[in-house]
Amino acid sequence: MATFEQQLAQYAELIVKVGVNVQQDQQVFITGSTEMTELVRLVAKKAYEAGASNVHVDWVDEALSRLKYENASDDHFTKFPEWEVAKRNTFLDARAAFIAIVSPNPDLLKGIDPQRIGSFQKASGQALEKYRQYVQSDKVSWTVVAAATKNWAAKIFPDVTPDEAQVLLWNAIFESVRLNTPDPVQAWEEHNANLHKKVEVLNGYHFHKLHYTAPGTDLTIELPEKHLWVGAGSTSESNVAFMANMPTEEVFTVPYRNGVNGYVSSTKPLSYGGNIIDNFKLTFEEGRIVKVEAEQGQAILQQLVDTDEGSHYLGEVALVPHESPISQSNILFFNTLFDENASNHLAIGSGYAFNVEGGKTMTREELDASGVNASITHVDFMIGSANMDIDGIQQDGTVVPVFRGGNWAI
């Protein structure tokens, strides 16, 4: 049986080879926590072994982040440093590979003024517009992966010691990325192929609308005329295959911006801005969110919806069967990277350009005309359950069952 150190090294290699597929002489930009130095260093090492010319690490420290929100002046949260933008843009221009290693504390900013959180989310979103556009158009290879910290593990497994909880979380992460298979790289190739089979079926139907029904949900989502379903692997502008999320169990497309009507209820908590938002309901009219209700985190959710005009609309429609491996683990991760892969979900905010035909090369005006929403934010929230049915409605009115009882019907 492999030791933890061997598993971690294998995980780092998977991130580099499958996650972003580092190329010879390519630069790599890593974002990681100071609590995860061992993994970050391993990823950097594997990147250099794969031929990277330079690996840059942007370190994140939770304690310092909390201190800043508690003590910095109010105007600090309305600005984003220009030098930070310039640094990121330098790597974008070089077509670097971007690796985000997330290890969140879901309660990090609990009790912090929601106005401060909302202001900084808005400021950073506006400042990093170029990065968001490059990612959402697949101009660069990028991936989001996770690392198990004690604070995050304790939130998930509160009934064991912090050390035991961290071991349990690492095991869950390794399982979710297929690290426990004989050949993880081959396992990802097969998984990618299986998801693409669903993509082909959905694109073949070319639905005009989707109708969701479940307890607390009755929602109709119109799709753009030239929408495309995608799933798992992507290809960058340089024709490099990569895996944007690890794990991933979804196939997804973009909604028509003004074509969402009805109401939808969350089925899992949403960790956003260092806070938990739970048991919430959104009501839509002609695409726009017109009512926000939440039992927990109402103010934070309202701040999210009010980020800009585009954050009042949806940017993603994603399908994930209730029987997915992450769902069947019965672990609530309090992190979207995992929880979205256990549940059908939607995203508030911007849509991905590659979800419409020719979208990767469209101007912003052309994307607008195609019905793709624009926003400085993109936040997924979970709506799926074993009680959800989804019908696909074709242009001629033909109704095709897509989901029944939370799982695929096609």
Side-chain angles (χ1 to χ4, degrees), residues 202 207 209-214 217 219 221 229 317-321 343-346 383-385 387-393 399-410:
L202 289 166
F207 292 122
K209 295 179 180 179
L210 297 176
H211 182 209
Y212 293 70
T213 54
T217 294
L219 188 72
I221 300 177
W229 291 91
V317 181
L319 302 179
V320 180
S343 170
N344 288 320
H345 56 276
L346 305 171
I383 64 168
S385 71
N387 299 312
M388 174 163 278
D389 292 341
I390 304 174
D391 286 324
I393 304 171
V399 177
V400 179
V402 177
F403 266 59
R404 285 294 181 267
N407 290 309
W408 288 107
I410 58 173

Side-chain angles (χ1 to χ4, degrees), residues 16 20-28 47 50-53 97 239-241:
V16 168
V20 290
N21 192 5
V22 172
Q23 300 294 293
Q24 188 68 36
D25 297 324
Q26 187 177 23
Q27 296 197 62
V28 178
S53 61
N239 201 32
V240 174

Side-chain angles (χ1 to χ4, degrees), residues 21-41:
N21 192 5
V22 172
Q23 300 294 293
Q24 188 68 36
D25 297 324
Q26 187 177 23
Q27 296 197 62
V28 178
F29 188 103
I30 303 173
T31 305
S33 166
T34 52
E35 294 183 57
M36 284 296 111
T37 54
E38 184 180 5
L39 177 59
V40 172
R41 288 168 181 164

Side-chain angles (χ1 to χ4, degrees), residues 11 14 39 102-103 145-149 152 156 166-180 246-247 331 333 337-338:
Y11 184 34
L14 195 66
L39 177 59
V102 299
S103 46
V145 297
T149 56
W152 182 21
I156 301 172
Q166 191 173 25
V167 170
L168 289 172
L169 181 52
W170 270 123
N171 288 339
I173 291 172
F174 292 156
E175 185 70 27
S176 74
V177 297
R178 295 169 166 77
L179 203 66
N180 298 329
M246 299 177 72
I331 298 173
F333 286 89
L337 176 63
F338 290 86

Side-chain angles (χ1 to χ4, degrees), residues 76-124:
H76 168 80
F77 300 99
T78 63
K79 304 171 184 176
F80 194 85
E82 292 183 7
W83 60 268
E84 286 273 18
V85 178
K87 177 178 64 177
R88 187 73 63 101
N89 288 349
T90 298
F91 284 89
L92 287 172
D93 292 339
R95 296 302 190 266
F98 288 80
I99 300 171
I101 304 175
V102 299
S103 46
N105 175 356
D107 295 316
L108 177 65
L109 300 183
K110 187 176 182 178
I112 296 294
D113 181 2
Q115 185 65 45
R116 287 192 159 208
I117 298 170
S119 294
F120 189 70
Q121 295 285 352
K122 185 173 183 177
S124 60

Side-chain angles (χ1 to χ4, degrees), residues 101-334:
I101 304 175
V102 299
S103 46
N105 175 356
D107 295 316
L108 177 65
L109 300 183
K110 187 176 182 178
I112 296 294
D113 181 2
Q115 185 65 45
R116 287 192 159 208
I117 298 170
S119 294
F120 189 70
Q121 295 285 352
K122 185 173 183 177
S124 60
Q126 291 172 335
L128 298 175
E129 180 181 1
K130 181 175 178 178
Y131 173 73
R132 185 175 60 257
Q133 288 179 347
Y134 272 51
V135 165
Q136 293 181 348
S137 298
D138 282 350
K139 290 185 181 297
V140 294
S141 57
W142 58 281
T143 194
V144 182
V145 297
T149 56
K150 287 187 177 180
N151 282 332
W152 182 21
K155 180 74 174 181
I156 301 172
F157 305 106
D159 299 327
V160 298
T161 69
D163 286 341
E164 291 170 335
Q166 191 173 25
V167 170
L168 289 172
L169 181 52
W170 270 123
N171 288 339
I173 291 172
F174 292 156
E175 185 70 27
S176 74
V177 297
R178 295 169 166 77
L179 203 66
N180 298 329
T181 59
D183 186 342
V185 173
Q186 177 64 28
W188 273 95
E189 290 176 359
E190 293 173 0
H191 178 51
N192 188 26
N194 287 333
L195 285 179
H196 272 92
K197 291 177 182 177
K198 293 298 184 186
V199 166
E200 290 172 6
V201 171
L202 289 166
N203 282 331
Y205 277 116
H206 199 76
F207 292 122
H208 175 55
K209 295 179 180 179
L210 297 176
H211 182 209
Y212 293 70
T213 54
T217 294
D218 188 350
L219 188 72
T220 300
I221 300 177
E222 187 176 341
L223 304 176
E225 182 182 353
K226 294 185 177 181
H227 73 274
L228 291 173
W229 291 91
V230 301
S234 301
T235 305
S236 73
E237 186 179 64
S238 303
N239 201 32
V240 174
F242 67 95
M243 198 68 59
N245 287 347
M246 299 177 72
T248 183
E249 302 289 339
E250 66 177 331
V251 296
F252 62 97
T253 191
V254 64
Y256 180 67
R257 184 181 190 270
N258 298 321
V260 183
N261 289 280
Y263 54 90
V264 64
S265 296
S266 66
T267 52
K268 292 180 182 292
L270 169 62
S271 177
Y272 174 76
N275 287 264
I276 296 295
I277 306 168
D278 201 8
N279 293 325
F280 58 94
K281 181 179 179 180
L282 302 177
T283 302
F284 295 81
E285 291 180 5
E286 296 182 352
R288 201 171 200 276
I289 299 171
V290 295
K291 188 176 183 181
V292 174
E293 304 166 82
E295 291 184 13
Q296 180 181 346
Q298 169 94 20
I300 296 292
L301 180 57
Q302 191 65 59
Q303 285 282 350
L304 166 58
V305 172
D306 291 339
T307 300
D308 61 11
E309 179 59 21
S311 56
H312 291 80
Y313 297 81
L314 294 180
E316 181 184 329
V317 181
L319 302 179
V320 180
H322 185 67
E323 63 184 14
S324 76
I326 295 174
S327 176
Q328 295 304 299
S329 75
N330 292 317
I331 298 173
L332 178 60
F333 286 89
F334 296 97

